[in-house]
Amino acid sequence: MDFYTRYAAYQAAIEQYLEGLFSTDKPYGRLQEAMRYSLLSGGKRIRPVLTLEMARLGGIDWHLALPYACALELVHTYSLIHDDLPCMDNDDYRRGRLTNHKVFGEAMALLAGDGLLTLAFEVMSEQRNVKPSTLVEVIHETAMCAGNFGMVGGQALDLEAEGKKISAKELKTLHEGKTGAMFIAAIRGGAHLAGATDEQLLALTHFAELIGLAFQIEDDILDVTGTQEELGKPIGSDDKNEKSTYVTLYGLDKAREMSEQTTQEALQCLDMFGEKAEALRELAKMMCHRRN
């Protein structure tokens, strides 16, 4: 099976699982509608795909990792809903559609994000075919990556940096949390579920850190060079919010060079896995050479 066929199979399984999380007999109609609106609005599903590919690389049936993988998408979607709110980035469009608060109002959008985050840990706890101690470790690491020492902490630094020119070190720290931490959760979570060794986990963690950095650099580049049709949201939002980016700090050409170099360094982390990691290499290149 080639990479793109496998990626499509992952996406189809993820969509089916996410759709199945919402029962029509639950009483919370408007809240559930708001949660579904953002969760089922498409997207590349990169984080859960990474987890499923890690499970396959580790030699287990990747379908077994679907609960944890899809829980990561719940966390990611909640963060997007909150990120789009007027008190944060104040964006009107996401994935080519009106943002959640534009459709359901700010209060319901806030609750939809809260609901998705809480549901994520409920779904994680339903992961089967893994030792309880391993599952506890995975959930603990995910909470760390999603919380004030990870994604939320990075978002806080991002807010504080608006209107300021921050240093390259500060920018890297910001995005290690805001963007990179959930890539680490996706990679390490899948690796844990597949029984990775400590040596493998070390290499894969470094891989995750590097692709997270390359992904963010590319995101900064696309905010300048992309189109609203490609990105599904207005371009230039970083400039509108007066944010320091890899493009404002280094210039467009240097940022492109940094993205490519970081991607190549990430790929070297997979040498120990040989040909078995070829699909993971293709996934990393796709993430860091994307157009949306």
Side-chain angles (χ1 to χ4, degrees), residues 117-142:
L117 175 60
T118 309
L119 179 59
F121 287 93
E122 177 186 333
V123 172
M124 276 182 223
S125 69
E126 294 172 354
Q127 178 69 50
R128 300 292 183 262
N129 304 99
V130 60
K131 292 190 300 184
S133 59
T134 300
L135 183 55
V136 169
E137 178 66 17
V138 168
I139 293 175
H140 175 77
E141 286 192 9
T142 304

Side-chain angles (χ1 to χ4, degrees), residues 25-264:
D25 61 358
K26 295 290 176 66
Y28 309 107
R30 187 68 171 164
L31 174 60
Q32 188 158 272
E33 186 182 348
M35 293 165 68
R36 283 172 54 90
Y37 177 82
S38 293
L39 182 64
L40 304 179
S41 65
K44 295 176 286 295
R45 310 302 193 195
I46 287 176
R47 291 152 193 83
V49 165
L50 280 169
T51 294
L52 297 181
E53 179 55 26
M54 286 308 311
R56 189 198 68 82
L57 178 63
I60 67 171
D61 180 355
W62 59 264
H63 294 86
L64 299 176
L66 273 167
Y68 177 73
C70 290
L72 292 182
E73 191 66 15
L74 295 172
V75 175
H76 177 58
T77 304
Y78 118 78
S79 74
L80 299 182
I81 293 174
H82 284 192
D83 212 35
D84 290 336
L85 287 169
C87 61
M88 296 281 281
D89 285 349
N90 194 24
D91 283 324
D92 293 344
Y93 288 92
R94 169 77 64 178
R95 294 171 177 167
R97 303 201 303 171
L98 286 170
T99 46
N100 198 288
H101 69 274
K102 284 292 180 180
V103 177
F104 297 94
E106 291 179 38
M108 189 59 73
L110 183 68
L111 291 173
D114 292 344
L116 288 168
L117 175 60
T118 309
L119 179 59
F121 287 93
E122 177 186 333
V123 172
M124 276 182 223
S125 69
E126 294 172 354
Q127 178 69 50
R128 300 292 183 262
N129 304 99
V130 60
K131 292 190 300 184
S133 59
T134 300
L135 183 55
V136 169
E137 178 66 17
V138 168
I139 293 175
H140 175 77
E141 286 192 9
T142 304
M144 291 283 289
C145 288
N148 58 303
F149 292 110
M151 181 181 67
V152 174
Q155 288 173 320
L157 293 175
D158 193 33
L159 280 176
E160 292 175 356
E162 287 185 6
K164 302 175 184 176
K165 185 174 182 179
I166 60 176
S167 69
K169 181 179 179 181
E170 289 171 320
L171 184 66
K172 185 172 183 291
T173 299
L174 186 163
H175 287 302
E176 283 174 344
K178 183 179 178 182
T179 304
M182 290 308 293
F183 284 121
I184 292 174
I187 292 288
R188 285 184 62 90
H192 276 304
L193 296 178
T197 65
D198 289 343
E199 182 184 11
Q200 290 171 332
L201 279 169
L202 186 63
L204 290 168
T205 301
H206 191 38
F207 168 76
E209 291 168 345
L210 289 167
I211 62 168
L213 175 59
F215 186 92
Q216 181 59 54
I217 297 171
E218 200 63 34
D219 212 46
D220 290 351
I221 292 170
L222 290 174
D223 193 61
V224 175
T225 64
T227 66
Q228 182 165 341
E229 290 72 27
E230 289 174 322
L231 299 180
K233 60 181 181 180
I235 61 171
S237 61
D238 292 332
D239 184 58
K240 177 190 73 173
N241 292 317
E242 298 182 87
K243 292 185 178 183
S244 293
T245 71
Y246 285 96
V247 174
T248 62
L249 259 65
Y250 295 100
L252 187 58
D253 290 341
K254 180 62 175 178
R256 284 172 168 154
E257 181 184 324
M258 291 173 67
S259 175
E260 184 60 35
Q261 180 180 344
T262 305
T263 302
Q264 292 305 314

Side-chain angles (χ1 to χ4, degrees), residues 252-286:
L252 187 58
D253 290 341
K254 180 62 175 178
R256 284 172 168 154
E257 181 184 324
M258 291 173 67
S259 175
E260 184 60 35
Q261 180 180 344
T262 305
T263 302
Q264 292 305 314
E265 289 177 12
L267 297 177
Q268 292 172 13
C269 296
L270 302 177
D271 287 350
M272 66 186 298
F273 298 98
E275 293 183 3
K276 289 175 61 179
E278 195 54 40
L280 191 57
R281 293 186 184 94
E282 290 298 320
L283 181 54
K285 287 185 281 189
M286 184 201 77

